[in-house]
Amino acid sequence: MSIKPARTRIAPSPTGHMHLGTARTALYDYLLAKKTGGQFILRIEDTDLKRTVPGAEQEIMDGLLWLGLEYDEGPDLGGKYGPYRQTERREIYTQHAKILIDSGHAYPCFCMPEKLEKTRQAQMKRKENPHYDGTCRVLAPDEAAKRMANGEAYIVRFKMPKEGVTVARDHLRGDIITENKQLNDYVLLKSDGLPTYHLAAIVDDHEMQITHVLRGSEWLGTFPLHVNIVRAFGWEEPIWIHLSVFLKPSGKGKMSKRETAAAIKDGYSIFIKDMQELGFTPEGVLNWSALMGWGVAEDEVMTVDQMIERFNIDSLTASPAAINFQKLDHFNATHIRLFTTEDLAARLKPYFTREGLNVNDEVLLKIIPLIRERLVTLDDCLAFGTFFFREDVTPNPEDLIAKGLDAKQSAQIAQRVYQILAEQPDISHERCESPLRAYVEESGFNVNQVFGILRVAITGQKVSPPLFESMEIIGREKCLQRIKNAIEILEKMFNK
Ligand code: GLU
């Protein structure tokens, strides 16, 4: 049986930073499109001019690109169904609002904002849900037409059926049944002539031949409105999928601004741009977010290709998922271990160069096996790798003093270690380890003291990748120079 190619879309509003929710929806859209040989589309929903943030659209495009979720049609690429920015589609919405007015499914409303506000206040006082009182719903069509022709300002409202029920089918949640008398006459076209989300998204999904609408569950409230609009036009409905919500890490309540700020303090974020800067990888972020709302095993490690292979909208889940940043760490670290050496080197290089280091590519390739297992985020490479690229290191003098010894004893050890290493023709692991271990034996100092001093001298830090392998990469000359510097630092301490 051949599967019908799906057309899916991510339709973000450029009103702020691109966040995890958008990334996850885009991922599922992408997987579905790829799985079925269809298309994945980017549509920018920018009709709320007051909320539009400069730069946000670019951030969305950059974010999708970084994640590797390349869209087939979009504002920058064009496509058969463009334009893909809603502010460039005004006439399309005006025409469609007119179609609904003409067919009796919508009406112009001339009520002034002050009047609407007064009605709203009165309804709230009576403890009613605020709703439009229907003044213009009952205007005779020719009277309404006359007022429009006279240039009176108006908006367009949807004429919701008042009797019966609306049955809206969500693919994950089944039939959602709402009594129509609960529904409001929502605004379709605003006074600035631009559409609301309700009209624009429905019209565009139809015009762009979207087969599956995947979106956040915050749209469940107006879902009955949306199916009524589609039906008023007489169009075929897409498959609707309202995805699960993200809960804060504690699992109690939705992710809020406060939780978001707290996450950033801990070195995490729900914003894609931040995640990139914090050293998370697209593979880690996608694997992590894919599993929050997809009923596969929680610890399933998958590349995007493997996800495409396994993806199926029937196994998406509606139950809310708590954001667990420790899992993000886990998936990120896991994917870092799966990259090829060349790939990981290319990803780490910018972190070193950003520190002003001159990165030798050969050295970088050599250090990958030494540091890979230590990385949770890519920027962890700085903690374990900068000393490879520095001319010299500046250890903290206190760190050079081995536990249980004083500066003088530590200097003696450093001197002896220097001599031993200087006697070797090269500084390979095989050559250096046994004479140093022999020295530990005969000196009566312990391994930690001797190798601790050497480690701090060579790397400038107390924790480092394997010492002998590191020394080999750094090279004989530089290593001897660094030990010499350490001796000088120690001598200064007891000669004070
Ligand atoms: N512009 C809407 C939003 O950003 C899109 C919802 C949808 O995907 O239909 O929430």
Side-chain angles (χ1 to χ4, degrees):
M1 194 183 83
S2 70
I3 326 168
K4 197 169 162 257
R7 282 181 59 84
T8 58
R9 88 302 191 271
I10 185 76
S13 300
T15 52
H17 292 300
M18 177 180 176
H19 56 75
L20 187 61
T22 307
R24 185 190 58 172
T25 307
L27 172 63
Y28 293 160
D29 282 327
Y30 179 86
L31 296 178
L32 181 56
K34 295 292 152 196
K35 171 108 205 176
T36 58
Q39 294 86 37
F40 165 53
I41 291 129
L42 170 64
R43 181 173 77 221
I44 297 292
E45 302 208 326
D46 57 350
T47 60
D48 192 345
L49 300 180
K50 281 198 265 0
R51 294 183 57 223
T52 296
V53 171
E57 177 181 314
Q58 191 58 45
E59 191 179 316
I60 292 162
M61 298 200 277
D62 293 346
L64 291 171
L65 201 69
W66 178 70
L67 288 167
L69 304 177
E70 283 172 31
Y71 39 92
D72 303 298
E73 300 162 30
D76 52 338
L77 296 182
K80 210 163 125 195
Y81 303 88
Y84 294 90
R85 207 178 272 116
Q86 289 185 328
T87 46
E88 294 166 18
R89 300 171 62 82
R90 280 170 195 254
E91 290 80 54
I92 300 175
Y93 310 122
T94 320
Q95 280 163 16
H96 282 84
K98 185 162 176 338
I99 294 173
L100 290 181
I101 295 176
D102 291 346
S103 65
H105 289 101
Y107 59 90
C109 170
F110 304 93
C111 296
M112 288 294 174
E114 302 77 44
K115 174 185 176 274
L116 296 173
E117 183 52 28
K118 257 198 203 142
T119 315
R120 204 178 71 91
Q121 296 288 352
Q123 289 169 341
M124 302 236 296
K125 238 190 208 151
R126 294 198 299 270
K127 304 229 172 337
E128 291 172 13
N129 280 337
H131 59 276
Y132 180 57
D133 65 5
T135 308
C136 296
R137 182 180 169 115
V138 294
L139 283 182
D142 52 342
E143 146 120 36
K146 214 188 278 161
R147 287 172 70 172
M148 282 159 82
N150 282 345
E152 201 172 322
Y154 67 95
I155 57 175
V156 177
R157 289 183 184 275
F158 189 67
K159 198 183 242 175
M160 272 288 195
K162 287 287 169 220
E163 317 272 290
V165 293
T166 295
V167 181
R169 167 159 291 222
D170 173 89
H171 190 74
L172 308 180
R173 297 155 206 262
D175 284 347
I176 297 170
I177 302 171
T178 316
E179 279 194 68
N180 288 340
K181 63 172 185 266
Q182 311 282 358
L183 300 173
N184 197 358
D185 283 359
Y186 283 94
V187 178
L188 299 179
L189 215 53
K190 299 176 287 181
S191 52
D192 59 4
L194 279 168
T196 56
Y197 167 78
H198 313 305
L199 179 66
I202 297 302
V203 168
D204 287 348
D205 286 339
H206 173 75
E207 294 271 303
M208 297 179 180
Q209 300 196 13
I210 301 302
T211 56
H212 297 72
V213 170
L214 280 73
R215 59 182 186 179
S217 54
E218 68 270 25
W219 296 109
L220 277 170
T222 43
F223 184 26
L225 163 69
H226 302 145
V227 301
N228 273 300
I229 299 175
V230 176
R231 290 169 194 170
F233 280 117
W235 293 334
E236 199 183 318
E237 277 180 57
I239 291 175
W240 307 91
I241 300 177
H242 294 89
L243 297 168
S244 57
V245 286
F246 292 133
L247 301 179
K248 47 178 111 169
S250 64
K252 293 185 192 121
K254 278 210 260 177
M255 198 69 190
S256 65
K257 277 216 173 105
R258 223 181 58 214
E259 297 298 323
T260 306
I264 291 173
K265 256 211 211 127
D266 292 342
Y268 298 106
S269 178
I270 57 159
F271 299 121
I272 302 306
K273 197 163 154 240
D274 290 351
M275 290 191 184
Q276 183 178 359
E277 268 157 33
L278 289 165
F280 291 103
T281 63
E283 289 81 355
V285 173
L286 289 177
N287 198 154
W288 176 60
S289 52
L291 300 188
M292 288 191 275
W294 180 3
V296 293
E298 277 195 3
D299 51 358
E300 204 73 59
V301 175
M302 287 183 283
T303 62
V304 171
D305 284 341
Q306 290 164 333
M307 290 187 215
I308 294 173
E309 186 97 345
R310 296 182 54 180
F311 190 72
N312 179 347
I313 50 170
D314 297 341
S315 51
L316 294 178
T317 62
S319 42
I323 291 190
N324 181 334
F325 289 115
Q326 280 69 46
K327 276 196 185 155
L328 171 60
D329 280 343
H330 166 75
F331 281 114
N332 205 60
T334 306
H335 280 279
I336 286 177
R337 279 147 193 73
L338 296 174
F339 299 152
T340 63
T341 302
E342 289 71 20
D343 183 12
L344 184 54
R347 297 188 199 224
L348 297 183
K349 191 171 176 178
Y351 290 91
F352 290 120
T353 39
R354 215 178 292 162
E355 289 294 297
L357 295 166
N358 203 348
V359 177
N360 175 315
D361 289 328
E362 227 173 283
V363 171
L364 179 58
L365 286 173
K366 280 194 201 152
I367 72 169
I368 298 291
L370 302 191
I371 64 172
R372 186 199 288 272
E373 294 297 320
R374 294 173 160 73
L375 307 180
V376 172
T377 50
L378 294 174
D379 62 345
D380 286 343
C381 68
L382 296 178
F384 298 110
T386 50
F387 63 86
F388 287 105
F389 302 109
R390 293 198 194 282
E391 250 340 280
D392 40 38
V393 292
T394 41
N396 179 353
E398 297 299 325
D399 292 346
L400 283 167
I401 302 175
K403 206 163 170 215
L405 306 179
D406 59 18
K408 197 163 191 172
Q409 291 166 305
S410 302
Q412 275 163 11
I413 294 178
Q415 256 148 2
R416 188 67 196 115
V417 166
Y418 180 90
Q419 281 166 1
I420 294 168
L421 294 179
E423 281 163 14
Q424 310 305 320
D426 66 61
I427 207 149
S428 65
H429 192 164
E430 304 81 64
R431 278 248 192 244
C432 302
E433 185 165 2
S434 59
L436 284 175
R437 288 207 184 269
Y439 164 61
V440 171
E441 286 294 312
E442 78 194 31
S443 68
F445 296 118
N446 68 42
V447 180
N448 290 344
Q449 290 169 326
V450 174
F451 289 115
I453 294 172
L454 182 57
R455 182 185 306 279
V456 176
I458 300 289
T459 68
Q461 53 200 58
K462 284 163 79 169
V463 182
S464 80
L467 184 56
F468 286 108
E469 283 82 350
S470 301
M471 289 187 355
E472 216 172 303
I473 295 171
I474 292 166
R476 185 173 192 274
E477 217 175 301
K478 262 197 196 170
C479 286
L480 290 176
Q481 184 55 46
R482 288 184 186 186
I483 302 170
K484 222 186 225 168
N485 288 348
I487 296 168
E488 277 169 26
I489 295 172
L490 284 164
E491 281 175 345
K492 262 192 215 140
M493 293 179 82
F494 62 83
N495 283 337
K496 259 202 289 217

